[in-house]
Amino acid sequence: MPLEPLPMPDPGTPDISTPTAFLRWLRRSQRRGQLLATWWGVLELGGMAALPTALGLGIQAVVEHDRAGLWRAGALALVLSVLQTTGCVLLHRQAVWNWITAASQLRQLVARQASHLGAGLSRSIATGEIVAVSSGDVEKIGWYVELVARVRAAVLVWLGVSLVVLVQQPLLGAAVLLGVPVLAVAVWPLLGPFERRYDEQRALGGKATELAADTVAGLRVLRGIGGEELFLQRYRAASQRVRAAAVRASRIWALMQAQQVLLPGLFVVGVTWYGAHLAVTGRIGIGQLVAVYGATAFLAAPLRILGEAAHAYSVARVSAGRATRVLALTRGTDGTGAAAALTRPGHGDLYDPATGLTARAGRLTAVVCGDPDLAGELAARLGGHLPPADGEPAGPGVRLGGTVLDEVPLADARAAVLVHDKEPVLLSGTLAELLDVPRSGRVTAAEALAAAQAGDVLDALVDGSPECAGDAMAARITERGRSLSGGQRQRLALARSLVADPPVLVLDEPTSAVDAHTESRIAAALAGLRAGHTTVVLATSPLLLDRAETVVLVRDGRVAATGRHRELLAADPHYRAVVTREDETPVTGDRPVKEPV
């Protein structure tokens, strides 16, 4: 069948009620591929099973000095060999197609889920879990989905061989018909222990991956504080736990493999001995004995496939359980209610019931939290569609103009509110590609870069990209902007948010990595460029706060004070302590005085 282009236009809506249901849904989603693989498998295994019959006919013809029978047996063997070879090639092609399609489909589902949850994904599940699902688990699930068709083909051919032998020799046929299921079921008692040990191995592997990702992300900080050895010891201990768990799982798997070799071997020996007894007593001919032996020996192939399927099902069920946990993450609303849709995106005040914060429409509002983690959670929550962290109940949703953002389609919420994270990611590519985002068209790329004070960043990009011929927009940005400083990356990310020009823009510490002089110019340009548009800036920098039309102080998770920067600086000791990093002291006039002891 012609290969379909990837990624798929729509990966579908999976059944995530149980891991088994999810695997069943993946199989159903590629019915045609499964049917073709089954047919090619029957052709391959059927040719393999029938080939001993042709060989037996040829031997019998030699014994009986039948020249014509020998030619007929040779022609039959040639035809069967061609059919088997054709089936083998086409089965392999189709099996790989089924495997890749299932793996790609799962990767798209996970990517769609990550895009749907946005910044809330890391609140609900560990990063290592996502990495494990997107890498190792998709391969295990794809392997199982591909193997299902081969199992069907093996069962069909086994039934066919059993019926043929049953007609020729009822006792041998009964042994073949009943022996294979018994041998296949013999491996099932080991599946439970193997699955539990493999689940433990995958869980420990996910934790080790998460620890490694955190270590790599914070390597510069670790070097600065001399903590490399400490984290190396932690990762070494985590990797040893993964190794020990893998060894425990491998012991069970090795026992299963040994069982799949020993039991079929004993079965073949027994059937062959009985066939030889029939030949010695003259009840069957030599050619029939060869055919019986060949058909019995062939049964090792279906048994091997069944054993492989048992192993694949065990690991795929564990992997599907992890995948369904990721795909089941939700805010608790489907976001499809037409009545709640934002008919005028971005119109109205932005209100957060959890803190009592209200950002007035068309104004620049600054929020001072003091706690960076609280500020990050507030920024993410203002964007809507943020799932609660594990163990936390879902709180009231953020409202924009009276509409709960969690109750509108995700695309509408994202079009209305853009959240600029304090640690934004720059994707590799040219600067033009970086700034090629959905936009209103009101702000040009040049205006956004100028407002972000990115002139020196453009010079650095041009110097590092000789192939751009002096055109900064054609200059290439390396992966995650590693060739740029932290302040340069931050300003490019700010320019990307400004050129999008959303109705509501939420900025979390957008200038934390730049110097005071540059920050002052960015604050002035930001106020001018976003004039008349709703902008929320979470910051503690006096330069940004002084440009805000309204400043809100959030303390202990609730709004504690509202006003202008200079007013709050003079009247609120806690606000002054957060902004100026001084002790909380009362003020007299314009100068703070310490309380008498």
Side-chain angles (χ1 to χ4, degrees):
M1 63 181 299
L3 300 182
E4 295 182 2
L6 296 174
M8 304 174 182
D10 180 14
T13 303
D15 182 353
I16 55 175
S17 55
T18 64
T20 303
F22 177 69
L23 293 174
R24 192 184 306 119
W25 175 82
L26 277 176
R27 295 199 308 267
R28 290 199 307 264
S29 64
Q30 46 175 255
R31 288 189 181 92
R32 186 164 181 261
Q34 289 287 321
L35 289 175
L36 283 174
T38 302
W39 164 246
W40 300 133
V42 168
L43 190 63
E44 179 197 15
L45 293 177
M48 185 187 304
L51 197 57
T53 301
L55 182 60
L57 291 174
I59 293 176
Q60 192 66 33
V62 171
V63 171
E64 297 175 357
H65 303 287
D66 183 2
R67 184 183 297 271
L70 181 60
W71 279 105
R72 286 194 298 270
L76 178 61
L78 178 62
V79 171
L80 292 175
S81 298
V82 171
L83 292 177
Q84 179 185 347
T85 303
T86 303
C88 179
V89 172
L90 295 178
L91 172 62
H92 180 73
R93 182 178 185 272
Q94 189 61 52
V96 171
W97 186 93
N98 292 346
W99 188 331
I100 293 177
T101 300
S104 300
Q105 191 172 11
L106 178 54
R107 281 198 176 98
Q108 281 189 247
L109 290 171
V110 173
R112 185 176 67 181
Q113 179 74 340
S115 176
H116 175 75
L117 296 176
L121 180 63
S122 59
R123 289 169 48 88
S124 304
I125 195 167
T127 304
E129 186 83 357
I130 299 296
V131 174
V133 171
S134 301
S135 55
D137 288 332
V138 296
E139 299 298 330
K140 299 297 188 299
I141 292 174
W143 174 35
Y144 166 75
V145 172
E146 170 271 319
L147 195 55
V148 169
R150 287 196 282 142
V151 170
R152 292 196 190 99
V155 171
L156 290 174
V157 174
W158 156 66
L159 290 175
V161 171
S162 300
L163 291 176
V164 171
V165 178
L166 191 64
V167 171
Q168 299 295 325
Q169 290 292 331
L171 187 57
L172 283 178
V176 171
L177 187 61
L178 300 177
V180 171
V182 171
L183 295 177
V185 170
V187 75
W188 285 99
L190 298 176
L191 292 182
F194 173 77
E195 188 172 323
R196 288 191 295 271
R197 295 187 182 190
Y198 182 75
D199 192 13
E200 178 189 9
Q201 174 194 342
R202 296 299 293 167
L204 292 173
K207 293 179 181 178
T209 302
E210 181 182 1
L211 179 60
D214 291 342
T215 303
V216 172
L219 188 58
R220 181 177 297 179
V221 177
L222 290 176
R223 287 175 175 170
I225 64 176
E228 297 170 86
E229 186 61 31
L230 174 62
F231 271 79
L232 178 60
Q233 293 174 1
R234 291 181 180 178
Y235 182 74
R236 183 181 293 118
S239 63
Q240 287 302 310
R241 287 192 291 270
V242 175
R243 182 195 63 80
V247 169
R248 289 193 294 271
S250 298
R251 287 171 181 164
I252 298 290
W253 172 234
L255 183 59
M256 294 168 62
Q257 289 286 86
Q259 189 183 58
Q260 292 174 33
V261 174
L262 177 62
L263 294 183
L266 294 176
F267 178 72
V268 171
V269 169
V271 173
T272 304
W273 177 86
Y274 181 71
H277 172 70
L278 294 179
V280 169
T281 58
R283 298 166 62 182
I284 62 174
I286 299 298
Q288 288 179 298
L289 174 61
V290 172
V292 168
Y293 168 77
T296 307
F298 155 79
L299 294 177
L303 284 172
R304 185 176 61 252
I305 294 175
L306 292 175
E308 184 182 357
H311 179 212
Y313 176 72
S314 298
V315 298
R317 225 165 65 92
V318 174
S319 298
R322 297 159 66 95
T324 53
R325 284 195 295 271
V326 173
L327 298 177
L329 296 176
T330 179
R331 176 67 175 174
T333 56
D334 59 6
T336 57
L342 288 169
T343 55
R344 298 177 62 188
H347 179 73
D349 299 338
L350 184 66
Y351 172 66
D352 175 34
T355 59
L357 168 68
T358 298
R360 298 299 178 188
R363 296 175 65 86
L364 174 58
T365 303
V367 181
V368 177
C369 291
D371 182 355
D373 293 334
L374 178 61
E377 292 177 6
L378 176 58
R381 191 165 60 247
L382 291 176
H385 289 271
L386 179 66
D390 287 341
E392 294 182 3
V398 171
R399 293 184 176 88
L400 179 58
T403 300
V404 179
L405 287 178
D406 288 347
E407 297 178 355
V408 303
L410 179 63
D412 289 353
R414 294 289 182 263
V417 183
L418 173 63
V419 178
H420 173 92
D421 191 73
K422 60 183 172 184
E423 295 181 358
V425 176
L426 300 183
L427 302 178
S428 59
T430 65
L431 179 59
E433 292 171 340
L434 177 71
L435 300 179
D436 186 17
V437 295
R439 64 184 75 183
S440 67
R442 187 181 68 91
V443 179
T444 65
E447 292 172 336
L449 290 167
Q453 305 301 312
D456 63 310
V457 186
L458 302 183
D459 294 338
L461 289 175
V462 170
D463 291 341
S465 301
E467 69 279 3
C468 73
D471 182 6
M473 298 303 291
R476 296 200 64 81
I477 300 173
T478 57
E479 181 185 2
R480 303 180 71 90
R482 289 179 300 181
S483 61
L484 302 173
S485 68
Q488 290 173 328
R489 290 195 298 269
Q490 193 174 60
R491 281 176 283 164
L492 283 185
L494 177 60
R496 180 176 58 187
S497 297
L498 292 176
V499 79
D501 191 39
V504 179
L505 178 60
V506 179
L507 302 171
D508 185 9
E509 294 288 358
T511 58
S512 59
V514 301
D515 59 83
H517 180 65
T518 303
E519 185 178 36
S520 176
R521 290 186 294 171
I522 291 176
L526 177 65
L529 195 65
R530 293 290 299 173
H533 290 68
T534 307
T535 307
V536 181
V537 182
L538 292 99
T540 57
S541 167
L543 296 173
L544 284 174
L545 298 174
D546 196 41
R547 290 285 182 176
E549 299 172 83
T550 304
V551 179
V552 178
L553 172 64
V554 176
R555 186 176 186 181
D556 297 328
R558 296 292 300 176
V559 171
T562 302
R564 296 297 294 260
H565 167 61
R566 297 178 186 271
E567 297 171 354
L568 294 176
L569 194 64
D572 194 300
H574 181 72
Y575 177 85
R576 184 170 57 256
V578 173
V579 174
T580 64
R581 309 297 195 272
E582 296 178 357
D583 294 334
E584 297 185 26
T585 55
V587 296
T588 300
D590 294 332
R591 297 179 59 82
V593 297
K594 294 186 177 180
E595 294 180 348
V597 179

